Amino acid sequence: MPLFVNKDQIFAHQVHLLEHKLRSKEEKILELETENAILHLRLAESLGKQRQDSEEVKTIGHLHYHRKDKTSQVVVTKLLSQVQEVKQCLSEIFAVYVSFATELEEQSRKLLEKVEQASRNSRHGDEIQSLQERVAALESSLEEERERCRAERERRKELHNTVVELRGNIRVHCRVRPVLPFDHVQAGAGASEEVIHAVSDDTLLVNPLKAGPLGQTKLFEFERVHGPDDSQELVFEEVRPLLTSLLDGYNVCIMAYGQTGSGKTHTMLGSQQELQKKQQGIIPQVAEELFRLISEKPSENHTVEVSVVEVYNNEVFDLLAKGEQGTVSSHHRDVITTSAGHSEVTSLTNQSVSNASEVMQIIHSVLKLRAHCPTLIHTDSSRSHLIVTLTISSKSPNALALARRLQRAKKDMQRSRQKEWWSPRCGRANPADHSDEHLLASSASSPSPSPSHSPCPSPRPSVLQAPFKTQLQLVDLAGSECVGMSGASGAALWEVSCINRSLSALSDVLAALAEQRPHVPYRNSRLTHLLQNAIGGDAKLLVMLCVSPTQRFLTESLQSLSFGARARQVQRDQPRKKSHTLRAK
């Protein structure tokens, strides 16, 4: 006699097993969160200890300066190691989440299939509805886990940014462009296949098709990796926090690097054919966000100026200069190093702007002057390095209010004709010896005493605020180029040579900084001399790597990725914040 198998009991048993697994995973996550909280507490204790140590060392005085420096370095080293431990713990949490989410999705999919099959073969609608409710509960739990994972990833990102700030590292983001029609032109077998993939938010996988030195699978890690499907808005969201630092008093530089045709100009300026906002690049969105942040502050406290230069054939040209009959010599400029060690462009033209549209009008007007040339790779390849500089002059509202109060006090003192100021700092030993009649007589003899001739002038002079300036440099570098692929000939060969030599000089500068050599060859190229303040100075520097995904351009893509990896190894001094200063008048 055949045994009767109850399908409902089987489904109920499977649901019970799933719920048991879910509880075990939740317990594991709770343990990890507890461990994470303990690590955060240790990090907070280390920070408090660092502040306490710095306060104790400050009280010792100038004689113990070297001991203070050594103690601070030890504390910072301990803090960095603890931050690395927290990051490792968060990575383990993320790995647990990924395995849990994958398993839960698979079980949910199988359960849904069985529910659908049971709905066709069974008449027990109530039980099917109950199972569907349980599946919905599991999906809700999965969504909650995803939210928690996103929160942990944001926390991990903040910790990583803290490490970058402490070390003074250069931020490097990478963007992989999609496959374009010219990837298939004159391409051999397999040349147009994708070999570079964004496997996560911070990891890039290179999986070549051919064997050999370039055929090894490699992983590259950067602060952020954007895949072909990432929009312009998503790319800008990772850049947006730097603008807040700009108004807080830090210099900022955003630089696009990559081979010709890898999407640098599209990333920085956006599509020239389409005017939709979603196609806008970093520069238009930066201009809008900058003036939006300025509008939230007193309007009289910020002024913005724009300058645009290009480095063409190792010469610097001012694209905003209005020379006689448009001659090239009238636009030519030199790069000098000031007594303070900063690089400057002589006689540079700056135009004041009041909104983002004026900025873009200026940029679009000078883009026509930029050197371009069609190649076999790109129909409108840029032959020069474009540098757009926004200079923001800022004044502190608090300092302005203090200056106004002091000026009002000065005017009040000038208006006081009936009384004579007395202070313990005056030369009079006994103010009671001067009667009211003497005061009236002295006031009548001097109808408008000035502060400089008053019997007791104010020991504190009037105060005015010296405004400070911060700079935002937006750099669209010319692309590195292989003559065999681009088909350059004649005068274009000299352009290619100048471009590649300037980019090679940029790599040499980063290598010298990474190895902490005593001499950094900034002056080997006008490009590196011009960008000296951003590369080796106190600016917050973001390098946006742009790479092609196909096998055809693998050699140039690997060169760009190696450049980004080298840039991440540079440890500079921590970026310095410019502060408002008051000066006596």
Side-chain angles (χ1 to χ4, degrees):
M1 180 176 181
L3 295 175
F4 175 74
V5 179
N6 191 343
K7 295 182 179 180
D8 296 337
Q9 293 180 353
I10 295 175
F11 292 156
H13 180 65
Q14 292 178 348
V15 171
H16 178 71
L17 291 177
L18 287 174
E19 291 177 346
H20 178 71
K21 290 182 178 181
L22 178 61
R23 285 193 298 271
S24 62
K25 296 295 183 181
E26 289 178 346
E27 293 175 355
K28 179 64 176 178
I29 291 175
L30 182 61
E31 293 177 359
L32 292 174
E33 287 181 344
T34 303
E35 185 178 358
N36 187 21
I38 294 174
L39 291 174
H40 277 288
L41 289 175
R42 292 179 180 176
L43 178 60
E45 292 176 358
S46 299
L47 290 173
K49 184 177 180 181
Q50 180 185 2
R51 288 192 296 268
Q52 183 179 0
D53 291 340
S54 62
E55 291 177 357
E56 293 177 356
V57 171
K58 285 181 180 178
T59 59
I60 295 178
H62 182 70
L63 295 177
H64 296 79
Y65 174 76
H66 298 289
R67 183 181 300 173
K68 168 189 173 183
D69 187 41
K70 185 180 295 184
T71 305
S72 300
Q73 291 180 357
V74 172
V75 173
V76 170
T77 303
K78 291 181 179 180
L79 176 60
L80 290 175
S81 63
Q82 292 177 357
V83 169
Q84 292 293 342
E85 293 177 0
V86 174
K87 288 177 61 179
Q88 182 65 27
C89 180
L90 292 177
S91 300
E92 294 176 358
I93 294 175
F94 180 70
V96 171
Y97 160 75
V98 170
S99 62
F100 170 69
T102 303
E103 181 180 356
L104 193 57
E105 286 180 350
E106 183 66 21
Q107 294 291 341
S108 177
R109 185 183 61 81
K110 291 181 180 180
L111 189 58
L112 283 174
E113 292 177 355
K114 292 181 179 180
V115 168
E116 291 177 358
Q117 184 179 3
S119 64
R120 292 192 298 266
N121 301 328
S122 177
R123 298 179 181 179
H124 304 285
D126 295 339
E127 296 179 358
I128 293 176
Q129 183 178 1
S130 176
L131 290 175
Q132 291 176 346
E133 291 176 354
R134 293 186 179 181
V135 170
L138 290 175
E139 291 178 349
S140 176
S141 176
L142 178 60
E143 186 62 28
E144 292 178 358
E145 294 298 328
R146 287 175 177 171
E147 290 295 332
R148 292 169 63 183
C149 179
R150 278 193 287 267
E152 292 297 332
R153 287 170 59 186
E154 288 297 326
R155 191 180 306 173
R156 179 174 178 267
K157 181 179 177 182
E158 292 177 359
L159 291 173
H160 179 74
N161 288 335
T162 302
V163 175
V164 171
E165 290 289 343
L166 291 173
R167 291 181 175 177
N169 292 93
I170 298 174
R171 296 169 175 81
V172 181
H173 294 185
C174 182
R175 189 180 193 186
V176 183
R177 68 161 174 81
V179 178
L180 299 177
F182 67 80
D183 288 323
H184 304 280
V185 177
Q186 297 181 356
S192 61
E193 294 188 22
E194 297 185 50
V195 296
I196 298 180
H197 309 275
V199 296
S200 69
D201 290 344
D202 57 1
T203 306
L204 195 72
L205 173 66
V206 180
N207 189 16
L209 300 178
K210 299 179 181 180
L214 298 179
Q216 299 178 357
T217 300
K218 297 181 179 179
L219 285 175
F220 291 89
E221 290 187 356
F222 302 104
E223 275 68 40
R224 186 68 167 86
V225 174
H226 298 282
D229 298 330
D230 287 359
S231 63
Q232 298 278 62
E233 291 87 349
L234 185 59
V235 173
F236 174 70
E237 284 300 321
E238 301 296 329
V239 179
R240 187 191 300 272
L242 290 176
L243 298 181
T244 304
S245 299
L246 178 69
L247 294 183
D248 287 342
Y250 294 95
N251 290 328
V252 176
C253 178
I254 302 173
M255 179 190 307
Y257 181 95
Q259 72 171 108
T260 180
S262 60
K264 300 183 301 301
T265 302
H266 176 75
T267 299
M268 295 301 292
L269 291 169
S271 176
Q272 300 298 317
Q273 289 78 19
E274 302 182 21
L275 300 178
Q276 294 90 341
K277 187 175 181 180
K278 64 179 181 180
Q279 294 295 333
Q280 290 183 349
I282 290 177
I283 293 179
Q285 296 187 74
V286 159
E288 291 184 3
E289 180 66 13
L290 175 61
F291 282 97
R292 187 192 68 81
L293 293 175
I294 289 177
S295 65
E296 297 177 355
K297 301 177 181 290
S299 59
E300 68 273 13
N301 292 341
H302 298 276
T303 58
V304 182
E305 293 180 334
V306 179
S307 63
V308 185
V309 300
E310 72 168 347
V311 181
Y312 175 65
N313 289 346
N314 203 31
E315 297 291 342
V316 179
F317 296 94
D318 185 357
L319 297 184
L320 295 182
K322 303 185 184 303
E324 297 179 359
Q325 298 179 355
T327 59
V328 176
S329 60
S330 63
H331 295 177
H332 182 268
R333 298 290 183 266
D334 291 326
V335 183
I336 63 173
T337 301
T338 64
S339 58
H342 300 294
S343 61
E344 280 187 4
V345 179
T346 59
S347 304
L348 184 61
T349 305
N350 290 276
Q351 289 189 13
S352 298
V353 290
S354 58
N355 52 58
S357 61
E358 292 182 3
V359 175
M360 295 314 301
Q361 287 177 3
I362 292 174
I363 293 177
H364 287 308
S365 65
V366 300
L367 284 179
K368 302 175 183 178
L369 305 176
R370 187 182 184 187
H372 293 83
C373 180
T375 66
L376 296 178
I377 298 177
H378 199 284
T379 57
D380 191 24
S381 178
S382 301
R383 318 307 290 173
S384 66
H385 310 293
L386 183 71
I387 303 173
V388 179
T389 304
L390 298 177
T391 304
I392 297 92
S393 300
S394 306
K395 290 186 178 181
S396 171
N398 294 332
L400 287 175
L402 175 60
R404 294 192 188 102
R405 288 198 299 270
L406 292 175
Q407 291 292 346
R408 285 197 298 268
K410 177 181 177 181
K411 292 179 180 179
D412 292 341
M413 184 177 64
Q414 292 176 349
R415 294 192 186 107
S416 61
R417 300 179 180 179
Q418 302 298 327
K419 297 182 180 180
E420 182 178 7
W421 291 92
W422 178 86
S423 170
R425 300 183 182 181
C426 297
R428 294 189 297 269
N430 187 7
D433 295 340
H434 299 273
S435 61
D436 294 339
E437 292 80 2
H438 180 70
L439 291 177
L440 291 174
S442 62
S443 63
S445 61
S446 58
S448 59
S450 63
S452 59
H453 296 87
S454 63
C456 182
S458 174
R460 185 174 186 178
S462 62
V463 178
L464 294 178
Q465 183 202 16
F468 72 90
K469 294 183 178 181
T470 55
Q471 283 191 340
L472 169 62
Q473 290 182 308
L474 304 167
V475 186
D476 180 18
L477 296 174
S480 58
E481 192 169 309
C482 177
V483 177
M485 284 190 175
S486 64
S489 61
L493 286 175
W494 176 248
E495 294 177 344
V496 173
S497 175
C498 290
I499 291 172
N500 290 339
R501 279 187 294 174
S502 62
L503 295 177
S504 177
L506 182 59
S507 298
D508 293 340
V509 166
L510 290 179
L513 290 173
E515 297 172 6
Q516 297 183 353
R517 300 176 192 168
H519 172 68
V520 181
Y522 290 112
R523 298 196 180 188
N524 286 359
S525 170
R526 294 289 174 86
L527 175 66
T528 53
H529 194 188
L530 180 59
L531 298 177
Q532 177 179 350
N533 300 338
I535 301 174
D538 58 354
K540 292 187 177 183
L541 175 59
L542 168 63
V543 177
M544 180 66 70
L545 290 181
C546 297
V547 296
S548 304
T550 58
Q551 176 75 28
R552 180 187 179 191
F553 303 107
L554 179 60
T555 303
E556 290 78 8
S557 298
L558 287 175
Q559 186 272 334
S560 299
L561 294 174
S562 299
F563 174 88
R566 190 181 304 114
R568 293 190 72 207
Q569 296 174 0
V570 175
Q571 293 188 13
R572 309 176 299 171
D573 293 335
Q574 188 174 355
R576 295 188 296 273
K577 177 179 179 181
K578 295 186 178 181
S579 60
H580 300 275
T581 58
L582 296 179
R583 56 182 173 86
K585 182 179 179 181

